[in-house]
Amino acid sequence: MKQANEKMTILAAGLVIGVIAAALVIAGNPVNMGFCIACFIRDTAGALGLHRAAAVQYLRPEIPGLVLGAFAAALVSHEFAPRGGSSPITRFVLGFFVMIGCLMFLGCPFRMILRLAGGDGNALLGLAGFVLGILCGVFFLNRGYSLKRTYALPKLEGAWLVLIQAAILILLVMAPAFIFFTEAGGGPGAKHAAAALSLGAGLAVGIMAQKTRLCMVGGIRDAVLFREWKLLCGFVAIFAAALAVNAATGNFHPGFAGQPIAHTDGLWNLLGMLLAGFGCVLLGGCPLRQLVLSGEGNADSAAAVLGLAVGAAFAHNFSLASSGEGPTANGKIGVIIGMIVVLMIAVANTKASEK
């Protein structure tokens, strides 16, 4: 009975999150990008001046909202437990290359589902690569891969990323002159819902994700390892709800060509998400899950989030990120290097665990 209740809760949360993501598009967010962790971290990095790609600069309130929502939910349920010390630099590097993979594909696992719900056939190649990457990670999990245990930390140590996100919100409200914004019509960064609505959406998603442990990587991993489907059901619900809203509002456009903020290079869509999936398994969760764990006081997940942000800045400063025109030569090199580095991390930490 408890397991059935948990499954129903996850399904309900997925339906609500899917509606929220599709509704954010109606409210002004880019099409097929109502909620994208990788894209929003990238836009926020640009808003803070970490990269100067003028088309993708906006301080997205959804990200601070998500972390603060998870933090509030964890406090209420007495699950705020500062901990860390499990290879934080390795987690930073993994986060960095997960972002490189996501920006090759142009989206995180969350946006991959939303792109599918919008009819973007290119996301099917991304999904195939993502599953392959997760299977690579599961291969090493089955052989003892581990980044070692975590340790209890002082409360302030576990709260740093929460405080940083709160400071970002204060900056948006009190000192917008110091933030870089994409000019109207200048690119995806210029498309956004009202800040208060975006913040509210982030808070709601953060609370629900914290309560349900939603994670697409975890869902596929658990289905493969344990034949446990409840986490994956949450993302099926997100897809179904977003698809229904898109169909009702005219935002469902099936096909491959001409999809918003997407390219049609199937090989590199697949390889980009293969890198992202592989890295996420080694991290223990997708970018959404890393933000939620940061809100719960996990300093190692905070290191991964910082890696995501630096990876986004690096990708745009050195022309690694794809565009609607397709992947760049630098981006292809970055994905190949990322695969080598992530494989090295997997092998090194599997051997270490066998000693």
Side-chain angles (χ1 to χ4, degrees), residues 126-148:
L127 178 59
F130 190 61
V131 172
L132 287 174
I134 290 172
L135 292 177
C136 290
V138 168
F139 174 85
F140 287 98
L141 290 180
N142 282 331
R143 282 152 183 78
Y145 168 84
S146 173
L147 289 179
K148 304 307 179 185

Side-chain angles (χ1 to χ4, degrees), residues 245-319:
V245 174
N246 287 338
T249 58
N251 282 330
F252 180 70
H253 303 287
F256 287 83
Q259 293 292 339
I261 317 173
H263 62 81
T264 58
D265 192 320
L267 174 62
W268 290 98
N269 277 325
L270 185 148
L271 292 177
M273 289 311 286
L274 191 157
L275 172 58
F278 192 3
C280 284
V281 172
L282 302 188
L283 279 172
C286 62
L288 169 65
R289 184 66 180 146
Q290 298 304 317
L291 286 170
V292 170
L293 288 171
S294 298
E296 294 177 355
N298 191 316
D300 295 330
S301 289
V305 171
L306 293 176
L308 290 168
V310 173
F314 189 95
H316 279 282
N317 284 332
F318 294 93
S319 300

Side-chain angles (χ1 to χ4, degrees), residues 5-72:
N5 289 339
E6 287 179 352
K7 190 172 183 178
M8 291 303 298
T9 300
I10 291 171
L11 283 170
L15 290 172
V16 174
I17 291 172
V19 170
I20 288 173
L24 283 171
V25 172
I26 299 169
N29 277 11
V31 178
N32 290 358
M33 198 192 290
F35 215 121
C36 174
I37 306 304
C39 303
F40 288 2
I41 288 176
R42 172 204 63 198
D43 291 355
T44 299
L48 297 174
L50 300 180
H51 71 72
R52 299 304 172 94
V56 284
Q57 293 178 318
Y58 178 67
L59 206 159
R60 300 276 180 185
E62 291 92 342
I63 297 299
L66 201 156
V67 175
L68 292 171
F71 172 66

Side-chain angles (χ1 to χ4, degrees), residues 328-352:
T328 67
N330 287 0
K332 294 175 182 180
I333 294 170
V335 167
I336 292 170
I337 291 173
M339 289 180 178
I340 294 170
V341 171
V342 171
L343 180 60
M344 288 172 59
I345 290 171
V347 171
N349 287 282
T350 299
K351 286 183 177 179

